[in-house]
Amino acid sequence: MPKRSAARSGPGSARMRDVALRAGVSTMTVSRALKEPGKVSPEMRERVLRAVRETGYLPNHLAGSLSSNRSTTVGLIVPSIDNSIYTQTVKSLSEVLKHSGFQLMIAESGYDPNEEEELITVFLGHRVSGLVLHSTEHRPEAVEKIRNAGVPVVETGNIPDRPLDMVVSYSNRDAAYAMTMHLGRLGYRRIAFASLYSVHNDRSKDRLQGYADALKELGQDYDPRLVVETERGYAAGAEVVARIVQTVPEVDALFCAGDVLAVGALFECGKRGWAVPGRIAIASFDDVDLLRHVSPSVTTLRLPRHDIGQRAARLLISRVIDGAEHLRGSVVDLKFEVIQREST
Amino acid sequence: MPKRSAARSGPGSARMRDVALRAGVSTMTVSRALKEPGKVSPEMRERVLRAVRETGYLPNHLAGSLSSNRSTTVGLIVPSIDNSIYTQTVKSLSEVLKHSGFQLMIAESGYDPNEEEELITVFLGHRVSGLVLHSTEHRPEAVEKIRNAGVPVVETGNIPDRPLDMVVSYSNRDAAYAMTMHLGRLGYRRIAFASLYSVHNDRSKDRLQGYADALKELGQDYDPRLVVETERGYAAGAEVVARIVQTVPEVDALFCAGDVLAVGALFECGKRGWAVPGRIAIASFDDVDLLRHVSPSVTTLRLPRHDIGQRAARLLISRVIDGAEHLRGSVVDLKFEVIQREST
DNA sequence: TTGTAGGCGTTATCAT
DNA sequence: ATGATAACGCCTACAA
């Protein structure tokens, strides 16, 4: 017995077949009129489009993708959805993809590689055309699944030593290095460094590495008391600056590898009456709008968040639509910029 | 001639058929072993799972959804992806959905109903099981398409007069009313109001209405000079407070219907040496973390952003999985809270 | 330019 | 408990 009784009328009705009947043509003609208008005569196109309108036909992407073995979805996995630093990237990514007819499926891994693997599996099950992963640390099983699926991938959070496929990012190590050098050149001699926990977070690890490398270059000692790993939030930033100043009174600068931390630290200085940069200079990571509007305005790194999303999308699209296999393994190391402001 | 040559081995290989062959069973048994384990014998289940592992089989959701006429995706449309006030909602929405095996497709309408309609069409084409719309203003065509598709919808940005289907939100009008009344009760007599442009933004309109209603209740005159519509951003907030104070020197409070505006205004006061709340009190909308950490801390409205996402997801899931038709048209009016702080 | 036939990978339905 | 068969709605391949 057929799966579906017979006549249709209810919601979600019209199929391509209905349109074809109405227009008195075959479904292939409908399909062509819709997807390759150049391949049908103008009159025919008109006739089909009218039938489409009259029937309220809505193409079924599921069926289309299954049949053509090409989907129009891209999967994005970010560590945390409610982190402002990702939203710019997500926005531009989504815009460019939408423009090419792709839809974004988004999910959050919570900085957990196991969760990431789980999500990758789900996305591959949905037959996404491509994946965008912010993290650059993946479980071997995840890597294998991706390889096996043959899906193009872009990593966007860092420049990994051994990329999965394509990479569009700035170098966290280089950025932290640049800012630390900047502080050194400004004359600061005891530069503290605060970052987020680096467990399963190679971005944090690399930033610390950049800091350490710069200190060496500057001829300054690496003092473990000046390095703090902490959680997120304004309160954490406040606590860090208070603690550091107490532990190492000679400290004259604090480089926070996270915008929220830096602002938290700045506010704390304000409350304690410590001049910034007189008593202690403060530098941040990521040029969120807020940093320009606080007083004193905060020196920071302008990162190419927008470009990352845009270029990641473009690479994926080239691979998927144009089959640009020569792009496989592309590494786009985008530039960042040190923005000198009042706080240093 | 067959679409696909014959043997397979390349990427994305294993189909359910391969698993079935390997396990020496039919595809139906594989399907059951995977989706309704209770319906197959334990030994069989084990045999199938082993074959799944050995073949690296990844179920094809496209085919599954097409065949079963049930998808596991939900579409979300927000006005702007990079607006911090949505991220909390997106996060909780995504979490709850993921937990029930649903995936989130997200897109941005840019406060444009035409764009929204376009996205709705695309999502319906992907046969999403449900839609979450932040906006509550829709084109008639969009409404018709949704009706025709028979897909459950949740609106989350406001409590509309005539809901599309389900609603999970707080009332923007009531919230603005509550804050204005709060300011009035604190003794402020010349309360200014700043909001974002209200074109295609019923949230803004309703907030203004709440402000106006409260003024009347307080027996205060509605003075157009005290009402400003502006763009987003810290700079806009700064400009607003400067302008208002100049135009109406008697102003003693400014209610900003937007967190960024309020902070911008606060910073401007700081720069000009105006005491807050001595010279002018400042109140905000939406309890973002920042407001608690600036100095003075800012009085604001705590909105149920997290709950909204969670409950919206739950409603959709009930409708889709349990077929809970009695939930159709549910309106969940969530509570908000006035948080009194130093700035008023 | 248009149509015919068959398959994409899964699940609903009925039969055993 | 398991299997055979026919859809799901569209598109590839080929033919006319």
Side-chain angles (χ1 to χ4, degrees):
Chain A
M1 201 214 250
K3 215 166 175 177
R4 175 158 59 182
S5 37
R8 298 174 56 86
S9 65
S13 302
R15 295 152 297 175
M16 191 176 271
R17 184 153 200 291
D18 303 319
V19 178
L21 285 175
R22 177 140 205 150
V25 298
S26 74
T27 59
M28 267 321 296
T29 302
V30 175
S31 179
R32 290 193 187 104
L34 260 29
K35 305 235 160 162
E36 305 169 291
K39 292 198 171 179
V40 300
S41 67
E43 315 85 72
M44 181 55 81
R45 182 161 55 234
E46 210 23 77
R47 192 140 62 105
V48 170
L49 289 182
R50 190 151 47 79
V52 165
R53 260 178 264 118
E54 289 168 356
T55 54
Y57 171 68
L58 215 58
N60 186 328
H61 288 209
L62 260 34
S65 298
L66 177 62
S67 184
S68 66
N69 201 30
R70 284 179 283 100
S71 85
T72 55
T73 51
V74 165
L76 166 68
I77 302 177
V78 290
S80 169
I81 289 181
D82 64 347
N83 189 327
S84 59
I85 64 172
Y86 304 132
T87 57
Q88 271 250 39
T89 305
V90 176
K91 187 191 182 92
S92 51
L93 187 65
S94 137
E95 261 171 13
V96 177
L97 287 177
K98 180 169 70 179
H99 203 259
S100 292
F102 287 83
Q103 242 16 69
L104 197 58
M105 305 190 66
I106 189 171
E108 154 178 285
S109 68
Y111 300 87
D112 175 359
N114 295 310
E115 185 66 21
E116 189 200 48
E117 184 199 346
E118 179 75 21
L119 291 168
I120 287 172
T121 307
V122 172
F123 280 162
L124 292 179
H126 278 279
R127 295 301 186 266
V128 293
S129 288
L131 282 171
V132 179
L133 308 177
H134 187 82
S135 174
T136 47
E137 285 189 2
H138 320 284
R139 294 202 59 201
E141 289 85 351
V143 176
E144 197 196 326
K145 282 177 185 168
I146 289 173
R147 289 268 149 70
N148 194 45
V151 170
V153 179
V154 187
E155 293 169 286
T156 56
N158 203 358
I159 312 273
D161 294 333
R162 195 181 148 292
L164 217 48
D165 180 358
M166 303 182 287
V167 176
V168 179
S169 180
Y170 63 92
S171 160
N172 282 275
R173 184 254 164 221
D174 291 356
Y177 177 88
M179 178 57 86
T180 310
M181 290 301 291
H182 177 74
L183 294 174
R185 291 198 200 95
L186 287 176
Y188 297 103
R189 313 309 302 166
R190 300 289 282 168
I191 305 168
F193 179 81
S195 80
L196 302 177
Y197 293 118
S198 59
V199 184
H200 289 147
N201 190 335
D202 59 310
R203 280 89 68 204
S204 276
K205 282 179 205 147
D206 281 11
R207 291 176 188 182
L208 179 56
Q209 186 62 51
Y211 163 77
D213 290 351
L215 284 193
K216 179 174 270 182
E217 178 72 25
L218 290 167
Q220 296 186 17
D221 287 338
Y222 179 98
D223 180 346
R225 296 176 308 156
L226 287 176
V227 175
V228 180
E229 280 195 6
T230 183
E231 56 181 11
R232 289 167 196 292
Y234 296 100
E239 196 194 311
V240 163
V241 71
R243 181 147 43 115
I244 292 267
V245 167
Q246 175 165 34
T247 315
V248 190
E250 322 89 85
V251 63
D252 57 3
L254 171 61
F255 175 20
C256 291
D259 47 282
V260 175
L261 287 181
V263 173
L266 181 70
F267 287 164
E268 183 67 17
C269 291
K271 280 173 192 162
R272 297 193 176 224
W274 295 340
V276 176
R279 169 64 187 87
I280 185 170
I282 291 181
S284 181
F285 211 98
D286 233 309
D287 185 28
V288 298
D289 222 21
L290 178 59
L291 297 174
R292 187 168 53 228
H293 292 279
V294 290
S295 202
S297 58
V298 179
T299 292
T300 191
L301 285 156
R302 169 141 39 221
L303 305 174
R305 300 286 179 198
H306 180 78
D307 287 358
I308 290 175
Q310 201 163 288
R311 303 205 51 174
R314 291 211 183 112
L315 278 178
L316 278 184
I317 290 168
S318 299
R319 284 284 291 279
V320 173
I321 300 187
D322 310 331
E325 283 304 309
H326 64 281
L327 294 176
R328 184 189 294 272
S330 303
V331 175
V332 181
D333 188 348
L334 292 171
K335 293 304 158 237
F336 50 82
E337 205 181 334
V338 172
I339 310 288
Q340 164 65 22
R341 296 211 182 97
E342 300 164 355
S343 70
T344 56
Chain B
M1 200 211 249
K3 212 167 175 180
R4 175 159 58 182
S5 37
R8 299 175 56 88
S9 65
S13 303
R15 296 153 295 174
M16 189 177 274
R17 184 152 201 293
D18 303 319
V19 178
L21 285 175
R22 178 140 203 148
V25 298
S26 74
T27 58
M28 268 319 297
T29 301
V30 175
S31 178
R32 289 194 187 103
L34 260 28
K35 305 233 161 162
E36 306 169 290
K39 292 197 170 180
V40 300
S41 67
E43 315 85 71
M44 180 56 82
R45 183 161 54 234
E46 209 24 75
R47 192 140 63 104
V48 169
L49 290 182
R50 189 150 47 78
V52 165
R53 260 178 265 119
E54 289 168 355
T55 52
Y57 170 68
L58 216 57
N60 185 328
H61 287 207
L62 259 35
S65 298
L66 177 62
S67 183
S68 66
N69 200 28
R70 283 179 283 101
S71 85
T72 55
T73 51
V74 166
L76 166 67
I77 302 176
V78 291
S80 168
I81 288 181
D82 65 348
N83 188 326
S84 59
I85 65 172
Y86 305 132
T87 58
Q88 271 250 36
T89 304
V90 177
K91 188 192 182 92
S92 51
L93 187 65
S94 137
E95 262 171 12
V96 176
L97 287 177
K98 179 170 71 181
H99 202 260
S100 291
F102 286 83
Q103 242 17 69
L104 197 58
M105 304 190 68
I106 189 171
E108 154 178 283
S109 68
Y111 299 87
D112 175 358
N114 295 309
E115 185 66 23
E116 189 201 47
E117 184 199 346
E118 180 75 22
L119 292 168
I120 287 173
T121 307
V122 172
F123 281 162
L124 292 179
H126 279 280
R127 295 301 186 265
V128 293
S129 290
L131 284 171
V132 179
L133 308 177
H134 186 81
S135 173
T136 48
E137 285 189 2
H138 321 285
R139 293 202 60 201
E141 290 84 351
V143 175
E144 197 196 328
K145 283 177 185 168
I146 290 174
R147 288 269 149 70
N148 194 45
V151 170
V153 179
V154 187
E155 292 168 286
T156 57
N158 203 357
I159 311 273
D161 294 332
R162 196 182 147 293
L164 218 47
D165 180 359
M166 304 181 287
V167 176
V168 179
S169 179
Y170 63 91
S171 160
N172 283 275
R173 184 255 164 220
D174 292 355
Y177 178 87
M179 179 57 87
T180 310
M181 289 302 292
H182 177 74
L183 294 174
R185 290 200 199 95
L186 287 176
Y188 297 103
R189 315 308 304 166
R190 300 291 280 170
I191 305 168
F193 177 83
S195 80
L196 302 177
Y197 293 118
S198 59
V199 184
H200 289 149
N201 191 335
D202 58 312
R203 281 88 69 202
S204 275
K205 282 179 206 147
D206 281 10
R207 290 176 190 183
L208 178 56
Q209 187 63 51
Y211 163 77
D213 291 350
L215 284 194
K216 178 174 271 184
E217 178 72 26
L218 290 167
Q220 297 186 16
D221 286 337
Y222 178 99
D223 180 346
R225 296 176 307 156
L226 288 176
V227 175
V228 180
E229 281 196 6
T230 183
E231 55 181 12
R232 292 169 192 290
Y234 295 100
E239 197 194 311
V240 162
V241 70
R243 182 148 41 113
I244 291 268
V245 166
Q246 176 164 35
T247 315
V248 190
E250 323 87 86
V251 64
D252 56 4
L254 171 61
F255 174 22
C256 291
D259 47 282
V260 175
L261 287 182
V263 174
L266 181 71
F267 288 164
E268 184 66 16
C269 290
K271 282 172 190 161
R272 298 193 175 223
W274 296 339
V276 175
R279 169 64 188 87
I280 185 169
I282 291 180
S284 183
F285 213 97
D286 233 308
D287 186 27
V288 299
D289 222 20
L290 177 60
L291 297 174
R292 187 169 51 230
H293 292 278
V294 290
S295 205
S297 57
V298 178
T299 292
T300 191
L301 285 156
R302 168 136 46 215
L303 305 174
R305 300 284 180 200
H306 180 77
D307 287 358
I308 290 175
Q310 200 162 288
R311 303 204 52 174
R314 292 211 182 113
L315 278 179
L316 277 183
I317 290 168
S318 299
R319 285 283 290 278
V320 174
I321 300 188
D322 311 330
E325 284 304 310
H326 65 280
L327 294 176
R328 184 188 294 273
S330 302
V331 175
V332 181
D333 187 348
L334 292 171
K335 292 305 157 232
F336 50 82
E337 205 181 335
V338 172
I339 310 289
Q340 163 64 22
R341 296 211 182 95
E342 299 164 356
S343 70
T344 57

